[in-house]
Amino acid sequence: MPVTFDVHGPDGAATVLLSSGLGGAAAFWQPQLPALLAAGYRVIAYDQRGTGRSPGTLPAPYTIAHMAQDVVEVLDASGTAACHLVGHALGGLVGLQLALDAPGRVSSLVLVNAWSAPNPHSARCFDARLALLAAHGPRAYVEAQPIFLYPAAWCAANAARVQAEVDHAFAHFPGEATMRARIAALRAFDVDARLGSIGVPVMVAAAMDDTLVPWTCSQRLADGLPDTTFERVPHGGHAHTVTDSPTFNAQLLAFLARAGAGRLV
């Protein structure tokens, strides 16, 4: 079954493709969509295979390379030669893989709280989340999710919104097998030794209070990639694209203006 995607904005404009993190949903990018459209970009957002509107059985063993191939298929189906790919966490890994596997399809990358190789802290977090899923099921798993996504103060101040997100995640949980396959794919990802071969402009964006992914993983990306803009914020958590969207959106638009240089892709 093909991956479900949405295309927003004018034909012929530079295309920004938005790739979400572990949740996989296009809706994650709602805080960015108005700003990108107001700036004149054509925007593609998609539900990753096995999530949301893109159900289906995942190949085994499932890899980030499979996810990058899905992006190629989305680009082909939407008549898009190349894109500026914006990826959050797992979505950033997809962008890195795509830039390695099909460099002609990527004009620039934006990597948000992403990484190039495994690290022991994130491994501990995923071990705990998987143990919770195994012992207590999907409801407990999704109830814990905001702890890893958002700062505590933001969760407390936005309690109703956070609970609504948790309830939605539970109602649309993709199943334990799919979740385990997706987590295994991101945990196996390691392109650290290949960063120097990625030739497109990259914006690395990190929140220094990210609970799930140490901001030093973003520092490693910034150090290893040849053409990098590194944007750090002190606060905002793993999903600072949501908790501080005005700051992130301003950084994103400034980078895209430089990286796009008016090209129509």
Side-chain angles (χ1 to χ4, degrees):
M1 179 177 291
V3 169
T4 299
F5 63 90
D6 305 303
V7 180
H8 311 269
D11 290 338
T15 296
V16 177
L17 184 138
L18 304 173
S19 187
S20 301
L22 183 58
F28 176 81
W29 298 103
Q30 284 301 316
Q32 282 66 58
L33 192 57
L36 287 167
L37 293 176
Y41 291 100
R42 177 177 180 258
V43 181
I44 300 174
Y46 70 108
D47 286 354
Q48 293 174 10
R49 189 171 302 278
T51 74
R53 299 167 297 164
S54 302
T57 302
L58 303 179
Y62 193 48
T63 66
I64 298 297
H66 288 116
M67 301 184 201
Q69 182 57 41
D70 282 339
V71 173
V72 171
E73 293 177 9
V74 168
L75 294 175
D76 289 345
S78 62
T80 307
C83 68
H84 302 275
L85 191 148
V86 182
H88 175 254
L90 178 149
L93 313 190
V94 175
L96 286 165
Q97 189 72 55
L98 184 65
L100 291 167
D101 292 349
R105 309 307 295 269
V106 180
S107 300
S108 72
L109 289 172
V110 176
L111 309 175
V112 184
N113 292 318
W115 60 93
S116 57
N119 76 85
H121 173 76
S122 297
R124 181 175 291 109
C125 293
F126 283 115
D127 284 342
R129 295 173 76 178
L130 289 171
L132 191 61
L133 178 61
H136 300 288
R139 185 81 222 189
Y141 177 90
V142 299
E143 287 286 355
Q145 189 164 284
I147 298 170
F148 298 98
L149 281 177
Y150 306 128
W154 191 90
C155 282
N158 295 273
R161 173 178 175 173
V162 169
Q163 191 59 52
E165 287 184 5
V166 166
D167 292 342
H168 184 271
F170 177 64
H172 297 86
F173 190 73
E176 183 171 345
T178 292
M179 187 59 71
R180 287 184 175 277
R182 287 173 59 75
I183 290 174
L186 68 82
R187 294 183 71 166
F189 182 78
D190 188 344
V191 296
D192 202 61
R194 302 176 66 192
L195 291 178
S197 64
I198 295 176
V200 299
V202 182
M203 183 179 103
V204 175
M208 298 180 73
D209 65 345
D210 187 341
T211 302
L212 180 60
V213 180
W215 73 268
T216 48
C217 294
S218 291
Q219 181 71 67
R220 171 59 197 146
L221 285 169
D223 290 344
L225 290 160
D227 183 359
T228 312
T229 300
F230 191 15
E231 299 286 2
R232 284 168 287 184
V233 294
H235 187 66
H238 187 58
H240 75 279
T241 56
V242 175
T243 61
D244 189 8
S245 56
T247 297
F248 175 77
N249 290 352
Q251 294 168 346
L252 173 63
L253 292 177
F255 170 77
L256 289 173
R258 295 193 302 272
R263 288 177 295 167
L264 300 182
V265 297

